[in-house]
Amino acid sequence: MAIRYIYIYETPESKLKGLIKIGDAFDIDARIKQQLNTAAAISADQLSYQLLYKTEAVINDTIEIRDYDIHKALEIKGYTKHQITEGDGLLKSSTEWFNIGIDQAIHLIEELKSGKKAEEIDIERYQDFPMRPEQHKAVEQTKKYFLSNTNDFIEVMWNAKMRFGKTFTTYQLMKSMGFNKILILTYKPAVEDAWQKDLDGHVDFYDYVFLKKDSLKSINYYLNNNKKIVAFASYQDLFGTNGNGNEIKDKHSQLFQTTWDMVVIDEFHYGAGTKKAKQIIEESDVSLKEIKKFNQEFYAEEDDELIDEELSENIDNIVHKSIRSKYRLYLSGTPFKAMADDRFPKDAIFNWTYPDEQKAKEEWYSNNPNVDPLKNPYRKLPQIKLYLYKVSEELIEAGKEENKDEFSLNYFFKAKHKKFINENAVKKWLDLISGRIVEETSLIDEIYQDKREIYYSQYPYDHNCDLAKEIDHSLWYFNRVESAIAMADLIKEHPILSNYHVILVAGKNTKSGVNALPPVEKALNEFDKTITITVGKLTTGVSVPKWKAVLFLRDISSPENYFQTAFRAQTPYEDKLTGKIKETCYIFDFSPNRSLKLLTTYSEKLSSDSLLTTSEQKITEFIRYLPVLKVYGNEMYEMDAREVLTFDLTNTDAKGLGLRFVERSNIVVTTETIDAMNSTVEIKARCAEIFQKIKMFKKYNGASDEELKESDVDLTVLDVNNEKIKKLKTKKTNNDKEDNDFNEETEREKELNKIEKEQKSEREKLRNLLKTLLSRIPLYMYLTDATEENLEQVLASDLLDVFRKTTGITVDDFRYLKDIGLLKIDSIDGYILKFLELENKNFNEHNLHLIGNK
């Protein structure tokens, strides 16, 4: 007996209009093709369509239901059939096309199939899922912190990775605290849709109204009528002006007059965490001229990443506005800066990182052995695998700019006039990743040969490997529009990669933010294999579920940028027809040193497990859930934590290693650390005492008077200059008198430059002093014959006071400087492991020499 199905589909054109087709048929494919070959509905590009849903057309498994039953129910709910027009003419007054979300339509169909009548079904607010355990924890931890503090304003940060459910959980906090009016601020207007859907779609928030854009003018109306509100605004919109001399738009006046129960700062890593952006929710005083200048700079940039950089750099000079609230909640999946500067106390931070998520997924199965695996709430969150490719020396040389020693992806893929300057090398690279050529190269160092299982290497588009069958849709990330265009052209000409449809989302002709998304989604629905090429667009604030991989083809130093982009591939995807989910996604990187440094930064800075104290432990846990595979030529193996830590030290000898200990990045002399040293009389005295010990030790070891002068730091001078600089930078000017403004600004800049120059000199003295201290650590390790594997263990083993005898200060003194924030020791654990490796190598060579002599 033939089975009738209810089905839903869309075409590329209908998707742009927000329309879906709901019909029924015994043979769905034949019926849709018949419809697309007629003028009965909506035209379709090349007759392509995407089947979104199908289900057997029966109620309670017995009574047949037809498509017109669905249509009638939709009309009862206020969703009428779409009319087809052409210009001013009406082609068809009634169709089976509806302007409704796919999830709403499916919910309606499933409820009708269960036997409910249309009047009983809520298709606007039907979500009723509960919080997951970690979401409960976030709410309870934050609520406790809010209620236990008596400060004028109280701040909490959620370090919660993408897919934690930040919007839903924020609303649950709102409800639990009994808040009636909260304000959402963001740098990414594209997230507006997610905030509104979660509020309007879930049964828990039925008594709240979502206000945005022009509806912000109605804040007082709703509050006066005892309505609870959630207001949403982007910083970009708030920075705008009326154009009539008023620095605040009319629609925002009530927003600034309201005292909010809570302000939520979303996508916090784009500058809202810095002191610069903080001024929009505290106090600031700048001119209309500066605001207009910001807007011009913001909208002039053609690529999203550059826009983000402009936001971070310029936000300090922007706002003549103030937003009032006692409670503030900051949200970010990559809050590296905030974690680094210790802005938030530990009990004011809730952590939920990628390892936490994957660990929860793993533990759910073991804790629920008798429960249907499909019930696992974390099941659809894919695991990430990181593939690191070390290309041949020939390609490495092509990526080295003249007079520079380092391989640079930016230079390797540099283009002029839409052509790569290294076009032959780029073509060879395309041949390599697509399997046209195979480099017969030995990867494994002798030290690892007995420990590693070697695999035949996999490249993302090698048509001879299984990996290529998985990577159907991917994102390629470049740093210049010229490079993106050049790559799009080469792919179209390539004998293998030309099988992938290229989607170019770069340049002035491409819209920014969420507006760049529709053409990409259209192509993903039309083509089985695609490559999306970007230089910043769609790397943050949007979700493209079908992307399964990200290729980093540019130099990136920012961990925020790297991991925000990398997590695009981790967006869950489920085929609504087959139920198949995306179980694994991939990061492909051709700059291993860079990638591993950023991976170390993520595991170090954002780790939520307080029991993991060493770098090696943290990385071991991280790569348990995010395996790192090193590929060189035709061989591949999985890296362990120790190699991740020491990867960029592979060819470093003892002398080079000593220089790594005193790298500038290990010494932190900033406004924050200067403030920390001078925060109390006791701390200032302790720091001065430690610095004097180091200085006297330098003298004891023969330093000249000139050398001692270079490290004769005066904390009082540092502190006084610090305060002078702060006052000059925040000094207000009389905006009504332009001439006076100009003269005062000029004098202020001169004075500021003078003091900053003095400050720089004093900071250098402190850096030289701390550099002297760190330079002694390798000697200390050598004298102790240390076999420990991280700095804390090395310091703990100082039973004979060797550290003081080697450096001039005690272990407690050293820890004190580290706790103040002056010493950044994240990288030092890796240096210590390398030190031990070199020591063992020397020991083994010495023993072999002795055996040889016998």
Side-chain angles (χ1 to χ4, degrees), residues 43-140:
S43 62
D45 184 16
Q46 298 178 342
L47 303 183
S48 62
Y49 69 92
Q50 174 79 15
L51 185 63
L52 303 175
Y53 169 82
K54 72 174 183 179
T55 184
E56 292 186 13
V58 288
I59 298 175
N60 289 328
D61 299 326
T62 55
I63 305 169
E64 186 175 66
I65 185 173
R66 297 296 304 272
D67 57 2
Y68 47 76
D69 296 317
I70 312 296
H71 302 162
K72 183 178 179 181
L74 282 168
E75 289 189 45
I76 291 173
K77 292 301 178 183
Y79 290 89
T80 57
K81 295 179 179 180
H82 184 73
Q83 295 181 337
I84 306 297
T85 60
E86 186 175 286
D88 294 331
L90 180 65
L91 296 183
K92 193 171 181 63
S93 62
S94 181
T95 70
E96 295 178 355
W97 294 88
F98 292 87
N99 191 348
I100 187 173
I102 178 64
D103 290 332
Q104 288 174 282
I106 291 173
H107 173 70
L108 175 69
I109 295 169
E110 295 294 338
E111 292 289 272
L112 289 172
K113 286 184 59 178
S114 70
K116 289 185 179 179
K117 298 187 180 300
E119 292 78 6
E120 302 175 292
I121 304 169
D122 187 345
I123 62 173
E124 303 303 330
R125 189 183 295 277
Y126 61 88
Q127 302 283 6
D128 61 356
F129 53 86
M131 285 190 284
R132 298 192 303 268
E134 69 275 9
Q135 293 170 330
H136 267 292
K137 184 178 177 182
V139 169
E140 292 307 313

Side-chain angles (χ1 to χ4, degrees), residues 257-513:
Q257 292 164 8
T258 301
T259 299
W260 298 94
D261 293 335
M262 179 172 68
V263 172
V264 181
I265 298 88
D266 192 16
E267 303 294 345
F268 165 51
H269 45 275
Y270 286 107
T274 65
K275 284 183 285 185
K276 300 176 178 183
K278 225 180 141 185
Q279 291 183 339
I280 195 170
I281 53 172
E282 291 176 5
E283 69 280 340
S284 179
D285 192 0
V286 296
S287 67
L288 175 63
K289 179 180 176 183
E290 288 175 298
I291 294 176
K292 286 181 176 177
K293 179 176 182 292
F294 169 81
N295 279 331
Q296 289 168 358
E297 290 173 346
F298 179 84
Y299 291 112
E301 296 295 349
E302 65 180 57
D303 293 309
D304 292 355
E305 186 192 13
L306 296 177
I307 290 173
D308 294 333
E309 290 173 3
E310 286 295 318
L311 282 167
S312 294
E313 291 300 320
N314 293 317
I315 213 72
D316 195 24
N317 306 314
I318 304 306
V319 189
H320 182 80
K321 303 164 185 174
S322 174
I323 294 175
R324 299 187 299 273
S325 74
K326 180 175 182 178
Y327 299 112
R328 299 173 189 168
L329 176 64
Y330 296 82
L331 307 175
S332 175
T334 51
F336 294 98
K337 291 174 185 172
M339 299 288 264
D341 64 19
D342 294 324
R343 171 176 167 180
F344 298 90
K346 285 186 178 179
D347 53 349
I349 300 173
F350 170 77
N351 294 293
W352 185 256
T353 62
Y354 169 78
D356 295 323
E357 168 198 278
Q358 294 296 309
K359 187 175 183 180
K361 180 168 73 171
E362 179 183 80
E363 290 180 346
W364 189 94
Y365 290 117
S366 58
N367 293 336
N368 299 276
N370 300 319
V371 181
D372 182 355
L374 297 179
K375 300 286 187 181
N376 187 339
Y378 312 98
R379 183 179 71 93
K380 295 179 183 179
L381 298 168
Q383 182 189 39
I384 304 173
K385 289 187 178 180
L386 171 60
Y387 281 71
L388 301 178
Y389 298 92
K390 184 178 179 183
V391 296
S392 66
E393 290 302 321
E394 177 189 351
L395 295 184
I396 288 175
E397 288 303 315
K400 288 183 180 178
E401 198 167 355
E402 189 175 353
N403 299 322
K404 293 188 178 180
D405 296 329
E406 290 188 4
F407 172 76
S408 165
L409 285 167
N410 287 354
Y411 184 73
F412 183 82
F413 290 111
K414 186 176 180 179
K416 285 185 178 180
H417 308 301
K418 302 176 183 178
K419 292 285 186 183
F420 289 112
I421 61 172
N422 293 315
E423 186 167 290
N424 288 335
V426 174
K427 284 181 176 178
K428 182 175 180 181
W429 175 81
L430 288 174
D431 287 342
L432 179 65
I433 68 168
S434 63
R436 288 195 78 207
I437 60 173
V438 178
E439 290 184 335
E440 298 292 336
T441 314
S442 179
L443 161 69
I444 309 302
D445 299 327
E446 288 183 13
I447 186 172
Y448 295 119
Q449 282 187 353
D450 295 334
K451 297 167 58 179
R452 310 289 175 136
E453 183 175 351
I454 313 301
Y455 310 96
Y456 182 77
S457 65
Q458 299 244 347
Y459 286 84
Y461 302 95
D462 186 346
H463 53 297
N464 298 310
C465 295
D466 293 336
L467 189 57
K469 298 172 186 175
E470 272 200 74
I471 311 301
D472 47 4
H473 302 287
S474 58
L475 177 70
W476 292 23
Y477 192 15
F478 289 91
N479 81 312
R480 290 287 182 269
V481 173
E482 291 267 17
S483 303
I485 294 171
M487 181 56 76
D489 290 340
L490 280 190
I491 290 175
K492 291 171 185 176
E493 299 169 359
H494 195 270
I496 294 174
L497 293 173
S498 58
N499 292 314
Y500 293 79
H501 176 74
V502 177
I503 311 165
L504 183 63
V505 284
K508 294 180 179 179
N509 294 327
T510 307
K511 293 181 180 180
S512 293

Side-chain angles (χ1 to χ4, degrees), residues 35 331 345 404 413 434 528 598 607 668-669 693 757 804:
Q35 291 171 343
L331 307 175
K404 293 188 178 180
F413 290 111
S434 63
D528 293 333
L598 294 175
S607 172
V668 184
V669 182
K693 288 180 184 179
K757 189 174 181 180
R804 183 187 60 79

Side-chain angles (χ1 to χ4, degrees), residues 65 118 181 250 253-254 257 296 360 395 449 467 507 543 555 561 610 614 633 660 676 678 697 749:
I65 185 173
K181 47 186 175 177
D250 292 339
S253 60
Q254 294 178 29
Q257 292 164 8
Q296 289 168 358
L395 295 184
Q449 282 187 353
L467 189 57
S543 297
D555 300 327
N561 187 347
S610 60
T614 72
R660 297 299 288 271
N678 290 283
F697 193 74
E749 286 183 5

Side-chain angles (χ1 to χ4, degrees), residues 607-648:
S607 172
S608 59
D609 194 335
S610 60
L611 300 177
L612 304 176
T613 57
T614 72
S615 297
E616 188 169 7
Q617 287 174 333
K618 291 175 181 177
I619 294 172
T620 297
E621 178 75 357
F622 189 80
I623 64 178
R624 177 185 172 193
Y625 300 107
L626 195 155
V628 180
L629 295 114
K630 182 177 176 183
V631 180
Y632 190 11
N634 62 339
E635 294 181 344
M636 177 176 75
Y637 72 90
E638 191 169 333
M639 297 177 71
D640 61 22
R642 180 161 299 196
E643 193 184 3
V644 169
L645 274 169
T646 62
F647 185 80
D648 66 334

